[in-house]
Amino acid sequence: MKKTKQQNNLIIERKNRKSYEELMTDETIFALANGVLGTRGHFIEGYGMYDYPQTLVNGFYNTYPYKYEENYKQFPQVGQTIVNLPDASYIKIESDDEVIDLSHAEFIELDRNLDMNQGTTFRKATYLTKHGYEFQIVEEKIVPYDINMVVSRLKVKSNNYQGKIRLTSYLRMPLEKKAHPLDPRLPYATKDLDIEQIHADHDFAYLTARTTNTSLSARVCMTHDQPLDYKVEDDEVHASMIYDLKPNIDISLTKYQLYYTDLETDDFDQAMDEDLKNLRKFEDYVETETIIRKDFWSKSDIQVDDTRIEQALHFNIYQLNLSGGVQPSTSIAAKGITGEGYEGHYFWDTEIYLLPFFILTQPQKAKNLLMYRYQTLHHARLEAKNLGGTRGAKIPWRTINGKEASPYYPAGSAQIHINSDIAFAIKSYFEATNDLEFMTDYGAEILLETAIFLLDYGHFQNQSFHLNSVTGPDEYSAIVDNNYYTNRMAKAHFEYTYDFITEHKDSLNALLERIDITNNDLELMKKAAKQMTLLVNQESNVIKQDASFMSKKELDIEGIPKQNFPLLLNYHPLYIYKHQVLKQADTMIALVLLDEHDKTLYQNTFEYYLKRTTHDSSLSKCIYGIAAYHLGHHELGYKYFKAVTEFDLMDVKKFTRYGLHVANLGGSYLMLIYGLFGIRMNKILLINPAYQTEIKKAKTTILYQGVSIDLSLNQQKINIKTNAPLTVMIYGQKVIIDQEHEFEMISF
Amino acid sequence: MKKTKQQNNLIIERKNRKSYEELMTDETIFALANGVLGTRGHFIEGYGMYDYPQTLVNGFYNTYPYKYEENYKQFPQVGQTIVNLPDASYIKIESDDEVIDLSHAEFIELDRNLDMNQGTTFRKATYLTKHGYEFQIVEEKIVPYDINMVVSRLKVKSNNYQGKIRLTSYLRMPLEKKAHPLDPRLPYATKDLDIEQIHADHDFAYLTARTTNTSLSARVCMTHDQPLDYKVEDDEVHASMIYDLKPNIDISLTKYQLYYTDLETDDFDQAMDEDLKNLRKFEDYVETETIIRKDFWSKSDIQVDDTRIEQALHFNIYQLNLSGGVQPSTSIAAKGITGEGYEGHYFWDTEIYLLPFFILTQPQKAKNLLMYRYQTLHHARLEAKNLGGTRGAKIPWRTINGKEASPYYPAGSAQIHINSDIAFAIKSYFEATNDLEFMTDYGAEILLETAIFLLDYGHFQNQSFHLNSVTGPDEYSAIVDNNYYTNRMAKAHFEYTYDFITEHKDSLNALLERIDITNNDLELMKKAAKQMTLLVNQESNVIKQDASFMSKKELDIEGIPKQNFPLLLNYHPLYIYKHQVLKQADTMIALVLLDEHDKTLYQNTFEYYLKRTTHDSSLSKCIYGIAAYHLGHHELGYKYFKAVTEFDLMDVKKFTRYGLHVANLGGSYLMLIYGLFGIRMNKILLINPAYQTEIKKAKTTILYQGVSIDLSLNQQKINIKTNAPLTVMIYGQKVIIDQEHEFEMISF
């Protein structure tokens, strides 16, 4: 029996962050989600001015026509965007003659927290009105795990006002999105929803809207724990009530926002009726959530004696866990369900940066995420043809519905490495779970179709296999030849595909026949893997990022003014591309993921590229951090560990307001697992803890091949405990862990 | 005294080309222009259905906002487009109860010609109406050389109809442009003009309109040789008259369309009043034009014993001559003034493909064209900064107003070779004219500013100078390193700039100081030229188009279905870029222009790339043709000579309807001059006639360093006659031509 772990450091508190920037950022930090529905930490009473409340359902999207000044018919002709749902978050608070919000009153104090023990946010705002009244607004909020609902409990109190308070609870179409025409990372303003139905009953109201192009339907219903007066006014429902407020005595109102989309529900009426019947008190939801969160924390136990890192890691995996993976019909968006940045698109982030967390703690979610790729494989097959391919499947670079939605192909479709990224994730999942059924039913088909595309895309020349005109992970080089990461991952992809298919040939013959893959194809994969072009500068013994990188002009990164980062917003792509400068780790990801053995090459390559990396992408530092740990640069590793874990909490890039950097959330977990504990998911689990001195104590729990493993670090000692015997590889030595095993960190 | 040459073969005749495609193509073929104003060969009576008459003024343009799905602020944020002017071309022809045009009657016969002796088009269309009447419509048209006017003489006749004929002459806003969203070579439909003023007087009418964004004004005035009844109806003027038509007796009406834009005229009223006073009869204009054209033909004499080639060359230089070069404020658009294709933009086409004709026959026009680059140099300086440069000027890839307007930078801004193309043209102009004043006042500044940009863009590495992340002329490879053409031309550019500046240092010191160019800069140019990276595959002794081209996948061009050309419309750019396939000559242009001496290298390179070239661009075949002549492949040279000269006349690419391929017009002249006669414009004129047997006789006249030179080929003999002594280099031997010199073709 596993004993229950006691997880501390699960409350994120913030005080008096009152500026516009801070409020917007904290909307993200205090976002709540359940893996399907997400809602940001906007104020229930609004701000009165720059309100833009966002409640999103993962995968609920619209399309809109793309316009290219020079159009090519192979370019995606429509964009995809997650759709902000009708807004039921707002309750207007009015005293006799004042509105209580930021536009009409001043903040005296603002306290907020996210309690990860119970899945709630708490906010207490004290306002001073122009008439000199002080009001305290308390808002508690929860999004239950099993229903797409937001429950908010509002309390209003004053120490010096006595009189009427009117609360008007709104249900309305979403507010207008602001456009950011000069930042390619942010969406254009589009009108995505048409109202279809609006209805106010005596104790609830709902609004149904439909996306303009994808014709997806969403209903939002609101109700309250008290009888209010519901009225439809134009396209809005207002439900109001007047209270008598006495000094220092709360009035309280709980609002229930119920969300339905036809991604999850066929019959809105029936679902809504049922939900309305079963509503519970706020405390009841908290109670249930507390149990669920406890279970989560026990399976995802993390303890680090650096409390800031520990807290940040808690926050990160907490948010990561709620960002998706619940159903196989969606993946995880770059911003999770916490904002519309990157339009709610799914990238390779999921498989490379997020999946390890799910594989090692909740393999069912990992499987769901991989199933998304399987379910959209038909679109990937068409995209392969679109790119001139004759066979196989090309996973879209960014997508919601499975079709390619990247309008700027040099940093989009050209990133064919995504095929091997998915393959790598499938391999990791299988090694960690032995889920052979998944592999024979789905995994093998993805492996094969993505591999055959690469085989077709590339070519043999002089006994070498080449992949030309591709873009690697680093988007500050584009359309290059023989990008090391792409090629190295393709090599692993070919090898693994060959090995897996060969080993399970009997059960896969029908598949091979159906998708028309012959022995010759498999042999060609083997040959391509063997002859894969992997460029190394022999003189300096540094891997070449691609065929041209090292011959490019050097850029004095230190000399660039701070305000000119990220470079992509301030320099022409040609200027960026012609220089030896990286947005993010590239070659190093291959060395990290595939656990390169040549230490000198690893070290030289690390040094060479780190100097040239801007880390303009949030996918960068965690990789360098892991590599730093691996190489024994533990001071740097620790520095990056801190930076990566606190990336959103500290709003390092001043961009958290648009949503969490979910890849970085996962990346911080990778720093713990890949970096500190030196885990790699092979057939036999590798454990090569990094030699380091900064973190004295750390613990975590993972699941591998059905065995629960507690890993703990105490000074220079590592302790491994399992609930069943498991063979692992520690610093290159095979060890059968039977209950417990302790060993020393090895210094390189 | 020069004797007047007798030029034949100056009439282009076409009969019964009645299909929609043919009519649209012939609108281009029968376009008339005077270097400023151009009007297409649409029917004066219209077609009744798919009418889209176009009358254009070179450089009269509008802007419109560009929209990028992923925007970068360094991208051009507005597009530029030539603006179709208000339409004064139309005269509606009605009998008692029928309209006479293609939608209401059938063609019986259609005869058209362009008479290049007198600058007129003639069209005779015989219609059969539904009521069985036969009408003959004759339209003659002229655009006088010195006034922006279209004069049309309409005659209507019938052999079996007797009765009223109503002619209604229109003045109206331009008809709606059709959009072609999936062909990047064609413009979007935009609304470019707002009407400002419309006025009908008793014997004339005018309409003034203003471009929506650039606020340029245009006035179109119409009048006739007979008193008509002018009426404003809504936004149109209708001027009509009723005639009594008797069988076999003509009625006739001459319409004058006068065009004013504030590019040429400050005071529309004054200019118009004056022009209206000075109108002459149709025959009078023909008479004047005949004299002007005669002078033109005497200076641009071309005779070839292959009459098809001869006629096509006449057509080509005739149209080329009228496509621009009249004022220094404009250049020559990719389609001249014959259509809106490529939006009326100026490209490198002018300097590399068109300028030699003007240099060798009308140096003043050549100077005007170069002055356009000087007058827009301030924009080019800003564009250099926009590309991250710290110094110099970057000539825009496509532009009207001098600012970069290329929204797809991989086949746009990345073509930095345009800087050296302009430098090459300046050098050629100076060598051919000794116009030192131009050089010291303007040319040197362009040379320097464009050179210093390149020096700054590139870098030295291992004793080599590199230009990375560029696109060469061949747009089927993009963003490559060390494109041979770019580098080779930059080398020549640096060398020439260094030499010229050094030689004329004393008169240029003020300039150097003003634009802050030091001796050190000049020495660096010299060094960069010396150390320029010029890649050659040593094994095969073939020049590498760029660092990566030869390692790319081979493409079976023969195996691609015909309808899939041009590839750019049918394949994803990535597919095209990753293959060894060319849209157009690339390396070969450098070998041709700079007269590469290594014959083996030349031959090998020619063979290698020709096999891989689709000629999807009209800038391609003339270069290969010249190279073929140079290499002694005269059968191929001849084949290409025919194909190039007849490119538009035969509508080879089914694209002539959108305007003439002006670069190819110039290219056909290059085949004659560079190819057949082996001319190169050096300090000492090079004459290396190609050994060939297909063309027995050919003659032409050029002007070099103030000396008129008649070149004639007769069997294997070449005769050179000058009107003053001139030193030339014939097959490597310096010869002073004093009146006449004859020599034999040399076979290689």
Side-chain angles (χ1 to χ4, degrees), chain B residues 35 102 154 227 251 270 352 444 497 512 547 605 657:
Chain B
L102 254 186
L154 169 68
I251 58 167
Q270 194 190 8
I352 296 298
T497 304
L512 292 168
T605 303
R657 54 179 293 189

Side-chain angles (χ1 to χ4, degrees), chain B residues 31 46 91 93 127-128 162 174 181 203 265 326 354 384 424 428 443 545 581 587 590 602 665 732:
Chain B
I91 297 181
I93 307 174
Y127 293 97
L128 179 66
Q162 181 153 8
D203 60 354
T265 318
V326 174
L354 317 183
F424 178 80
S428 301
Q545 179 168 316
V581 60
T587 306
Y602 202 130
L665 303 181

Side-chain angles (χ1 to χ4, degrees), chain A residues 52 136 166 221 296 403 434 454 473 486 539 560 656 663 743:
Chain A
Y52 182 55
Q136 203 180 74
R166 173 194 288 272
C221 169
F296 168 75
K403 296 180 192 175
N434 293 328
L454 293 171
T486 307
E539 227 171 293
I560 295 173
T656 294
F743 59 98

